[in-house]
Amino acid sequence: IQDLKLVIDAALTRGEGGRIPKKVNMNGYEPQHGMTCVMNPTEDTIDRFGQPFYDKISKDSVLSKVFFPVSPEGYHVTLIGMEYAKVQFSGQSVEKIYGELEASQKYLDRQFPNTVCFYAKQGNNKRGPGLEMTPNTTSLRNKCRTAEKQMKYKLGINKKYPQNWHMTLGYFRPDIYGKQRDAYTRQIEDIVDGLMNSNDSNRSSIPLTFYSPVICTYNDHTRYNPLF
């Protein structure tokens, strides 16, 4: 309840049309309060991809100074972003909003298996290097889209376009942009390619597993606190 109150207070301060704070500053991640629905990585995904990628960036004398990687435990696939869910602005008590979110979580629990699998491949992400995540079966894709629509309707998420499922790998320092950033991005993409090629014979994509979706609050971009 206390975590949710912090999220609602932050949302009310920003206002319905307000933007969440920047994710990074010159020294790393910016603390912020928000709410989202994510699928967190299994230990297999952390071991096969997350930790090796994090280690390679951290040990690179140049990239480690210009790029802030998400910690392996913080990797996630967002089912639906909930920063601007209108339920936060409804004027209901925190307890009442908690109850609505709890009902939504129970709905998700009924729809998804304990572990879900996505195919990951390099994608164009203006915010920073990341992977495009595609459900590995048509059935899973349909479940994700149906759940997304249900969450939009029930919680008042005014998002016109379907969710672009992705896994963000990190963010550049704010002063890194233009051709310099493009060059560093290519280096990071080469690292990702190397990990993909070592994990699977299919050189264009690899399967990564995640736990079923859970509604979370967060106080920075790498720590997620399940509400239930």
Side-chain angles (χ1 to χ4, degrees), residues 19-25 28-29 32 35-38 53 66-70 74 76-84 123-133 159 162-178 181-182 184-185 188-189 218 221 224:
R19 296 185 62 83
I20 61 174
K22 293 181 178 179
K23 288 187 167 61
V24 297
N25 57 31
Y29 288 96
Q32 56 183 269
M35 183 169 63
T36 189
C37 182
V38 302
F53 176 80
V66 301
F67 182 73
F68 305 124
V70 176
H76 61 276
V77 176
T78 302
L79 177 68
I80 180 69
M82 297 170 62
E83 294 91 345
Y84 306 113
N124 295 322
N125 188 345
K126 295 180 181 180
R127 296 180 300 176
L131 298 175
E132 292 180 359
M133 308 298 292
K159 186 173 182 179
Q163 179 74 27
N164 173 27
W165 296 310
H166 63 279
M167 184 170 75
T168 300
L169 301 179
Y171 294 89
F172 284 104
R173 208 173 61 201
D175 63 336
I176 304 300
Y177 53 87
R181 174 169 164 163
D182 291 341
Y184 289 139
T185 296
I188 293 171
E189 288 174 345
Y218 57 88
H221 195 62
Y224 290 84

Side-chain angles (χ1 to χ4, degrees), residues 122 184-195 197:
Q122 301 260 24
Y184 289 139
T185 296
R186 286 193 291 272
Q187 293 181 43
I188 293 171
E189 288 174 345
D190 286 343
I191 291 174
V192 174
D193 276 339
L195 292 172
N197 294 341

Side-chain angles (χ1 to χ4, degrees), residues 63-113:
L63 291 177
S64 62
K65 292 180 174 61
V66 301
F67 182 73
F68 305 124
V70 176
S71 67
E73 295 79 10
Y75 288 142
H76 61 276
V77 176
T78 302
L79 177 68
I80 180 69
M82 297 170 62
E83 294 91 345
Y84 306 113
K86 291 187 181 298
V87 69
Q88 299 172 102
F89 306 96
S90 63
Q92 301 177 96
S93 67
V94 176
E95 290 76 14
K96 177 68 174 177
I97 295 174
Y98 184 92
E100 293 197 29
L101 294 172
E102 184 177 33
S104 296
Q105 183 63 61
K106 289 180 179 178
Y107 163 78
L108 294 173
D109 292 342
R110 292 193 300 269
Q111 303 304 311
F112 287 87

